[in-house]
């Protein structure tokens, strides 16, 4: 298969990264096919492009901080007939993150921290996934055009569930995620500039969404919106169950709704990322911030935290990118 080509991010972006990110995260990005990615993506990018995709794979794809964890837990529980005992295992092991090993140089981290046991789903995420028994559950933040070739050309029957979220709330959640991990050191307004200029990892943001939205009528793709999950989770559970070929009774849906409630998810260590965040920061010698990866989940909070100037910038940006697509967010 064709080799992936890479390019450096432009000088302006490099300057932004240097001035706003923790030193560990500076100059850590590159581009392939115009997508901003960690520089260590080069180590696994070709493996991802060429990887085998199985007919019974279930993939959850998303831009960062758009309800990914919520969707993963929902899909896993539906596909596994509400096996809540099995769901006590960490989501990182049940539903591993495809390109996790590209986020940092974990090979170097292992050498520098020989006393820390780094799990394989972190140190070599692609190899970990390749070794899993079927059916596999796989998470990725990659845009459609960078998914494995066999997934893009549909030479398998693998299913994709995509979660989208409005730009303002995604921006706010992304900001809190980076500050929690000690990665970002500026104020929210500065991060809004970064986000709206498509200078954060996995950008361009709206291109990411449209890559999946434009394929929403494909029988192997289910396009979900975070806002719909917040408004009527039961309805989204039904749609997802139908997509996965599962029949669910009304009382089962109610049980799953309770399991997926914000309060339940926030205190559930198998899904709230607390253990992972602690290990991640320990490996990188970072001080983890206060708070939780599952923080608020309120629809519309991003707008209330932004200045009127940035609300206007984001509204105009969204209209420019989505105006003709038919996709709208609350």
């Amino acid at each position: 298969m064709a080799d992936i080509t890479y390019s450096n991010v432009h000088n302006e972006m490099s300057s932004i990264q240097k001035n706003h990110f923790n030193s560990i995260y500076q100059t850590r990005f590159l581009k392939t096919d115009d997508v901003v990615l960690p520089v260590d993506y080069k180590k696994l990018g070709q493996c991802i492009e060429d990887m085998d995709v199985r007919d019974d794979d279930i993939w959850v794809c998303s831009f960062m901080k758009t309800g990914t964890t919520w969707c993963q837990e929902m899909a896993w529980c539906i596909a596994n007939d509400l096996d809540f005992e099995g769901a006590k295992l960490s989501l990182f092991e049940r539903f591993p993150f495809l390109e996790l090993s590209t986020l940092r140089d974990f090979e170097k981290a292992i050498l520098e921290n020989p006393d820390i046991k780094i799990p394989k789903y972190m140190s070599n995420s692609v190899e970990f996934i390749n070794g899993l028994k079927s059916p596999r559950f796989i998470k990725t933040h990659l845009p459609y055009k960078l998914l494995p070739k066999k997934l893009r050309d549909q030479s398998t029957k693998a299913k994709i569930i995509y979660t989208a979220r409005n730009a303002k709330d995604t921006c706010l959640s992304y900001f809190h995620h980076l500050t929690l991990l000690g990665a970002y050191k500026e104020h929210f307004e500065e991060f809004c500039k970064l986000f709206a200029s498509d200078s954060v990892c996995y950008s361009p943001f709206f291109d990411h969404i449209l890559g999946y939205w434009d394929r929403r009528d494909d029988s192997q793709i289910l396009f979900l919106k975070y806002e719909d999950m917040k408004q009527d989770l039961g309805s989204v559970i039904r749609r997802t169950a139908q997509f996965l070929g599962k029949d669910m009774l009304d009382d089962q849906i109610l049980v799953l709704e309770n399991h997926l409630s914000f309060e339940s998810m926030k205190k559930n260590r198998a899904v709230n990322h607390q253990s992972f965040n602690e290990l991640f920061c320990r490996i990188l010698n970072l001080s983890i911030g206060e708070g939780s990866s599952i923080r608020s989940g309120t629809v519309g909070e991003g707008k209330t935290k932004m200045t009127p100037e940035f609300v206007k910038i984001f509204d105009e940006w969204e209209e420019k990118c989505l105006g003709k697509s038919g996709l709208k967010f609350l």
Side-chain angles (χ1 to χ4, degrees):
M1 297 182 184
D3 290 341
I4 299 175
T5 58
Y6 299 94
S7 62
N8 295 324
V9 296
H10 56 72
N11 291 334
E12 181 182 357
M13 188 183 294
S14 297
S15 176
I16 289 172
Q17 293 164 359
K18 182 176 181 180
N19 293 331
H20 295 76
F21 284 83
N22 181 294
S23 60
I24 293 175
Y25 290 82
Q26 290 172 12
T27 63
R28 298 288 299 175
F29 300 97
L30 47 71
K31 282 191 174 185
T32 182
D33 207 355
D34 202 40
V35 179
V36 180
L37 292 168
V39 69
D40 286 307
Y41 186 81
K42 292 177 72 172
K43 295 180 180 180
L44 289 176
Q46 197 64 46
C47 294
I48 291 173
E49 168 71 11
D50 300 339
M51 77 180 290
D52 186 41
V53 179
R54 305 174 192 169
D55 286 340
D56 54 359
D57 281 350
I58 295 174
W59 293 64
V60 163
C61 307
S62 67
F63 196 86
M64 284 192 59
K65 309 309 295 179
T66 59
T68 318
T69 300
W70 201 13
C71 184
Q72 285 177 269
E73 185 69 0
M74 176 182 66
W76 191 93
C77 288
I78 292 171
N80 287 277
D81 302 315
L82 305 189
D83 178 12
F84 296 123
E85 187 63 32
K88 292 179 180 179
L89 182 68
S90 168
L91 196 61
F92 280 97
E93 296 184 65
R94 290 183 281 128
F95 216 130
F97 180 8
L98 178 66
E99 68 273 16
L100 174 57
S101 296
T102 71
L103 299 185
R104 292 271 67 80
D105 187 345
F106 286 106
E107 292 179 356
K108 181 180 178 182
I110 290 172
L111 294 174
E112 294 177 348
N113 301 278
D115 296 332
I116 300 177
K117 184 178 180 181
I118 302 178
K120 192 169 184 177
Y121 67 75
M122 183 183 288
S123 62
N124 195 323
S125 50
V126 174
E127 187 175 308
F128 177 79
I129 289 170
N130 285 337
L132 290 177
K133 296 180 180 178
S134 293
R136 299 183 304 182
F137 299 83
I138 303 168
K139 159 193 165 180
T140 182
H141 291 312
L142 294 175
Y144 187 88
K145 61 185 177 181
L146 294 184
L147 293 177
K149 186 176 186 301
K150 288 186 177 180
L151 202 54
R152 301 194 311 270
D153 66 19
Q154 297 185 351
S155 58
T156 73
K157 298 177 182 178
K159 293 182 179 293
I160 294 173
I161 303 173
Y162 185 79
T163 60
R165 189 181 191 183
N166 76 82
K168 300 183 193 73
D169 288 347
T170 302
C171 177
L172 178 63
S173 186
Y174 205 150
F175 167 75
H176 282 292
H177 172 71
L178 291 177
T179 54
L180 175 65
L181 295 180
Y184 189 75
K185 58 184 181 181
E186 291 291 342
H187 299 295
F188 180 51
E189 280 191 30
E190 294 299 317
F191 189 75
C192 289
K193 293 179 184 178
L194 283 174
F195 195 93
S197 64
D198 280 324
S199 299
V200 297
C201 197
Y202 299 109
S203 293
F205 175 70
F206 286 113
D207 284 358
H208 198 296
I209 293 174
L210 289 173
Y212 292 88
W213 172 254
D214 290 344
R215 295 166 176 83
R216 64 191 181 280
D217 294 328
D218 190 310
S219 62
Q220 291 175 226
I221 295 179
L222 177 65
F223 189 98
L224 301 176
K225 290 195 290 186
Y226 180 91
E227 292 79 5
D228 291 341
M229 293 178 71
K230 290 290 292 187
Q231 187 175 46
D232 189 352
L233 181 57
S235 177
V236 175
I237 290 173
R238 287 185 179 88
R239 285 181 61 200
T240 305
Q242 182 179 18
F243 177 69
L244 296 177
K246 292 288 185 176
D247 294 321
M248 294 187 69
L249 301 175
D250 289 346
D251 60 341
Q252 291 177 310
I253 291 173
L254 289 174
V255 169
L256 183 54
E257 280 191 79
N258 182 66
H259 178 74
L260 296 172
S261 69
F262 180 82
E263 294 76 14
S264 177
M265 292 282 287
K266 189 167 185 175
K267 66 183 181 183
N268 183 352
R269 286 185 66 89
V271 300
N272 66 15
H273 296 352
Q274 183 175 340
S275 298
F276 174 83
N277 291 342
E278 291 169 354
L279 176 60
F280 189 83
C281 288
R282 185 182 173 203
I283 291 170
L284 297 178
N285 296 313
L286 294 171
S287 297
I288 191 168
E290 294 184 4
S292 169
S293 289
I294 300 176
R295 188 188 57 84
S296 170
T298 303
V299 174
E301 185 181 10
K303 183 176 182 178
T304 67
K305 300 296 183 182
M306 288 182 182
T307 63
E309 176 189 4
F310 274 111
V311 170
K312 182 180 179 182
I313 288 172
F314 272 66
D315 284 343
E316 291 176 349
W317 179 35
E318 180 171 326
E319 177 59 29
K320 177 183 176 182
C321 295
L322 299 185
K324 297 179 181 180
S325 70
L327 175 61
K328 295 185 180 296
F329 291 95
L330 295 175

